[in-house]
Amino acid sequence: NILSLSGPQVLAVKTVNLDTVGVRISKIFRNNLLPFLNNEYGAPFAKQVYDGVYRVESGEINEEVSQRIGLAAFQKEPYKGLFQVEVYDPKEYYRRETGWFLCTDLGLVAKQSGDDLWVWAVTVKDVRAAEGVKVDLMSDTNQAMDSQVTDAAGRAVFENWRKHPYKFNPYFLVARREDDFSFLFFQRT
Protein backbone atom coordinates (compact mmCIF):
# COMPACT_ATOMS: atom_id res chain seq x y z
CA ASN A 1 0.00 0.00 0.00
CA ILE A 2 1.87 3.03 -1.28
CA LEU A 3 0.96 6.71 -1.07
CA SER A 4 3.04 9.15 -3.09
CA LEU A 5 5.26 11.27 -0.84
CA SER A 6 4.72 14.20 -3.21
CA GLY A 7 0.92 13.68 -3.14
CA PRO A 8 -1.68 14.49 -0.48
CA GLN A 9 -0.92 11.41 1.74
CA VAL A 10 -4.58 11.05 2.71
CA LEU A 11 -6.46 7.84 3.47
CA ALA A 12 -10.21 7.49 2.98
CA VAL A 13 -11.84 5.43 5.72
CA LYS A 14 -15.40 4.29 5.13
CA THR A 15 -17.75 3.54 8.03
CA VAL A 16 -21.35 2.42 8.38
CA ASN A 17 -23.57 3.06 11.44
CA LEU A 18 -20.87 4.67 13.61
CA ASP A 19 -21.00 8.01 15.42
CA THR A 20 -17.26 7.94 16.07
CA VAL A 21 -14.29 6.02 14.71
CA GLY A 22 -11.10 5.39 16.66
CA VAL A 23 -7.81 5.83 14.84
CA ARG A 24 -4.39 4.69 16.00
CA ILE A 25 -1.36 5.47 13.82
CA SER A 26 2.12 4.04 14.39
CA LYS A 27 5.27 4.77 12.42
CA ILE A 28 7.80 2.10 11.52
CA PHE A 29 11.27 3.38 10.70
CA ARG A 30 13.65 2.04 8.05
CA ASN A 31 15.96 0.31 10.54
CA ASN A 32 12.98 -1.61 11.99
CA LEU A 33 11.71 -3.10 8.73
CA LEU A 34 12.77 -6.66 9.52
CA PRO A 35 10.73 -6.99 12.75
CA PHE A 36 7.79 -5.38 10.94
CA LEU A 37 8.02 -7.73 7.94
CA ASN A 38 8.09 -10.71 10.28
CA ASN A 39 5.05 -9.50 12.25
CA GLU A 40 3.32 -6.67 10.43
CA TYR A 41 0.20 -6.69 12.61
CA GLY A 42 2.18 -6.61 15.86
CA ALA A 43 4.57 -3.94 14.53
CA PRO A 44 7.28 -4.26 17.16
CA PHE A 45 9.48 -1.17 17.55
CA ALA A 46 6.76 1.05 16.07
CA LYS A 47 6.38 4.57 17.42
CA GLN A 48 2.79 5.52 18.10
CA VAL A 49 2.23 8.98 16.62
CA TYR A 50 -1.53 9.33 17.01
CA ASP A 51 -4.35 7.78 19.04
CA GLY A 52 -7.69 9.52 18.93
CA VAL A 53 -11.32 9.49 17.92
CA TYR A 54 -12.86 11.11 14.85
CA ARG A 55 -16.48 12.21 15.01
CA VAL A 56 -18.59 10.99 12.09
CA GLU A 57 -20.67 14.07 11.30
CA SER A 58 -23.24 12.80 8.82
CA GLY A 59 -24.86 9.69 7.51
CA GLU A 60 -28.12 7.86 7.80
CA ILE A 61 -28.62 4.34 9.12
CA ASN A 62 -26.86 1.82 6.85
CA GLU A 63 -25.30 4.64 4.79
CA GLU A 64 -21.58 4.46 4.03
CA VAL A 65 -19.72 7.57 5.23
CA SER A 66 -16.14 8.53 4.29
CA GLN A 67 -13.64 10.07 6.67
CA ARG A 68 -10.26 11.38 5.55
CA ILE A 69 -7.14 10.73 7.60
CA GLY A 70 -4.02 12.69 6.72
CA LEU A 71 -0.55 11.20 7.22
CA ALA A 72 1.52 14.19 6.00
CA ALA A 73 1.71 15.78 9.46
CA PHE A 74 3.55 12.71 10.76
CA GLN A 75 6.26 13.00 8.07
CA LYS A 76 7.74 16.18 9.55
CA GLU A 77 10.01 14.22 11.86
CA PRO A 78 13.36 13.13 10.50
CA TYR A 79 13.01 10.04 8.33
CA LYS A 80 10.00 9.30 6.22
CA GLY A 81 8.01 6.35 7.33
CA LEU A 82 5.90 3.35 6.96
CA PHE A 83 2.62 3.72 8.81
CA GLN A 84 0.45 1.14 10.48
CA VAL A 85 -3.10 2.49 10.67
CA GLU A 86 -5.72 0.88 12.85
CA VAL A 87 -9.36 1.98 12.75
CA TYR A 88 -11.83 0.69 15.29
CA ASP A 89 -15.23 1.16 16.83
CA PRO A 90 -14.57 2.87 20.20
CA LYS A 91 -17.65 1.15 21.68
CA GLU A 92 -16.66 -2.33 20.52
CA TYR A 93 -12.87 -2.45 20.38
CA TYR A 94 -12.75 -5.93 18.83
CA ARG A 95 -14.35 -4.45 15.67
CA ARG A 96 -11.20 -3.14 14.05
CA GLU A 97 -9.16 -3.19 10.87
CA THR A 98 -5.44 -2.65 10.43
CA GLY A 99 -3.40 -1.82 7.35
CA TRP A 100 -0.02 -0.37 6.50
CA PHE A 101 0.87 2.45 4.14
CA LEU A 102 4.26 3.55 2.89
CA CYS A 103 4.56 7.21 1.92
CA THR A 104 7.36 7.27 -0.65
CA ASP A 105 8.37 8.51 -4.08
CA LEU A 106 10.44 5.38 -4.77
CA GLY A 107 9.05 2.23 -6.35
CA LEU A 108 11.02 -1.00 -6.81
CA VAL A 109 10.90 -3.83 -9.31
CA ALA A 110 13.25 -6.83 -9.11
CA LYS A 111 13.94 -9.80 -11.37
CA GLN A 112 16.31 -12.70 -11.05
CA SER A 113 18.42 -13.25 -14.15
CA GLY A 114 20.64 -16.32 -13.86
CA ASP A 115 22.66 -15.87 -10.66
CA ASP A 116 22.05 -12.12 -10.56
CA LEU A 117 19.28 -9.93 -9.18
CA TRP A 118 18.33 -6.95 -11.33
CA VAL A 119 16.57 -4.11 -9.52
CA TRP A 120 14.93 -1.04 -11.01
CA ALA A 121 14.02 2.02 -8.96
CA VAL A 122 11.32 4.29 -10.35
CA THR A 123 9.50 7.37 -9.19
CA VAL A 124 6.00 6.69 -7.86
CA LYS A 125 4.66 9.96 -9.24
CA ASP A 126 5.44 9.38 -12.93
CA VAL A 127 7.14 5.94 -13.12
CA ARG A 128 10.42 7.35 -14.46
CA ALA A 129 13.84 5.85 -13.78
CA ALA A 130 15.23 6.99 -10.43
CA GLU A 131 18.99 7.54 -10.74
CA GLY A 132 21.29 7.69 -7.72
CA VAL A 133 19.15 5.59 -5.39
CA LYS A 134 21.09 3.48 -2.89
CA VAL A 135 19.72 -0.07 -2.82
CA ASP A 136 20.70 -2.44 -0.01
CA LEU A 137 20.25 -6.19 -0.25
CA MET A 138 19.27 -7.20 3.29
CA SER A 139 19.46 -10.61 4.94
CA ASP A 140 16.94 -12.38 7.15
CA THR A 141 19.13 -11.33 10.10
CA ASN A 142 18.93 -7.63 9.09
CA GLN A 143 22.48 -7.49 7.73
CA ALA A 144 23.38 -5.52 4.59
CA MET A 145 24.71 -8.19 2.25
CA ASP A 146 25.51 -5.80 -0.60
CA SER A 147 24.78 -2.23 -1.69
CA GLN A 148 24.45 -0.74 -5.15
CA VAL A 149 23.51 2.66 -6.55
CA THR A 150 21.09 2.89 -9.46
CA ASP A 151 22.37 4.13 -12.83
CA ALA A 152 20.66 6.55 -15.26
CA ALA A 153 18.19 3.78 -16.21
CA GLY A 154 17.28 3.31 -12.52
CA ARG A 155 18.98 -0.10 -12.56
CA ALA A 156 21.19 -1.81 -10.00
CA VAL A 157 22.56 -5.34 -10.40
CA PHE A 158 23.47 -7.64 -7.52
CA GLU A 159 25.76 -10.30 -8.95
CA ASN A 160 25.60 -13.78 -7.41
CA TRP A 161 23.05 -12.36 -5.00
CA ARG A 162 22.26 -15.64 -3.24
CA LYS A 163 25.92 -16.54 -2.60
CA HIS A 164 27.37 -14.77 0.41
CA PRO A 165 30.67 -15.60 2.16
CA TYR A 166 28.95 -15.68 5.57
CA LYS A 167 25.94 -17.66 4.28
CA PHE A 168 23.41 -14.84 4.86
CA ASN A 169 20.01 -15.40 3.23
CA PRO A 170 18.62 -12.58 1.06
CA TYR A 171 15.29 -11.43 2.50
CA PHE A 172 14.40 -7.93 1.28
CA LEU A 173 15.62 -4.80 -0.49
CA VAL A 174 15.73 -1.29 0.91
CA ALA A 175 16.03 1.69 -1.43
CA ARG A 176 16.77 5.16 -0.19
CA ARG A 177 17.42 8.62 -1.45
CA GLU A 178 17.91 11.40 1.10
CA ASP A 179 15.34 10.66 3.84
CA ASP A 180 12.88 8.84 1.56
CA PHE A 181 12.87 5.04 1.45
CA SER A 182 11.05 2.10 -0.03
CA PHE A 183 11.38 -1.66 0.31
CA LEU A 184 10.63 -4.89 -1.50
CA PHE A 185 10.01 -8.00 0.57
CA PHE A 186 10.90 -11.15 -1.39
CA GLN A 187 8.27 -13.36 0.26
CA ARG A 188 5.47 -11.17 -1.08
CA THR A 189 6.62 -10.70 -4.66
Side-chain angles (χ1 to χ4, degrees):
N1 304 317
I2 294 178
L3 297 173
S4 175
L5 191 58
S6 56
Q9 301 176 42
V10 174
L11 301 175
V13 175
K14 295 181 180 184
T15 61
V16 177
N17 297 337
L18 291 178
D19 297 325
T20 57
V21 61
V23 178
R24 184 172 295 119
I25 302 172
S26 298
K27 190 171 186 178
I28 296 98
F29 296 95
R30 183 178 63 230
N31 61 322
N32 292 322
L33 279 173
L34 181 65
F36 168 76
L37 293 172
N38 287 328
N39 184 13
E40 70 183 63
Y41 293 104
F45 306 112
K47 177 184 178 188
Q48 187 170 304
V49 293
Y50 181 81
D51 188 3
V53 176
Y54 281 73
R55 177 122 184 96
V56 179
E57 296 297 332
S58 63
E60 301 296 321
I61 293 179
N62 298 329
E63 179 185 8
E64 188 175 84
V65 178
S66 289
Q67 291 285 125
R68 301 213 183 287
I69 299 171
L71 298 177
F74 307 115
Q75 293 287 28
K76 293 181 178 161
E77 298 178 13
Y79 310 113
K80 303 305 178 217
L82 170 65
F83 294 96
Q84 181 181 46
V85 179
E86 178 183 357
V87 293
Y88 59 92
D89 180 349
K91 296 175 185 167
E92 299 178 40
Y93 182 75
Y94 61 90
R95 291 180 50 193
R96 61 189 178 122
E97 292 292 328
T98 302
W100 60 265
F101 301 88
L102 178 63
C103 297
T104 184
D105 280 330
L106 298 173
L108 291 174
V109 177
K111 178 181 181 0
Q112 182 171 333
S113 177
D115 289 336
D116 301 338
L117 180 68
W118 290 49
V119 179
W120 288 269
V122 296
T123 60
V124 169
K125 183 177 180 180
D126 55 14
V127 196
R128 295 184 189 267
E131 182 179 9
V133 175
K134 183 179 180 193
V135 182
D136 295 324
L137 176 62
M138 302 298 292
S139 76
D140 58 355
T141 56
N142 213 29
Q143 302 305 303
M145 297 172 60
D146 194 1
S147 292
Q148 300 290 328
V149 176
T150 58
D151 60 18
R155 182 183 55 228
V157 178
F158 293 91
E159 296 178 354
N160 296 309
W161 73 295
R162 291 195 181 271
K163 297 176 181 155
H164 191 271
Y166 300 111
K167 310 261 189 262
F168 288 142
N169 298 311
Y171 203 59
F172 65 106
L173 295 169
V174 176
R176 55 190 153 134
R177 181 165 52 188
E178 298 171 6
D179 63 347
D180 188 10
F181 80 94
S182 187
F183 66 95
L184 182 66
F185 184 35
F186 295 138
Q187 293 184 354
R188 298 245 175 89
T189 57

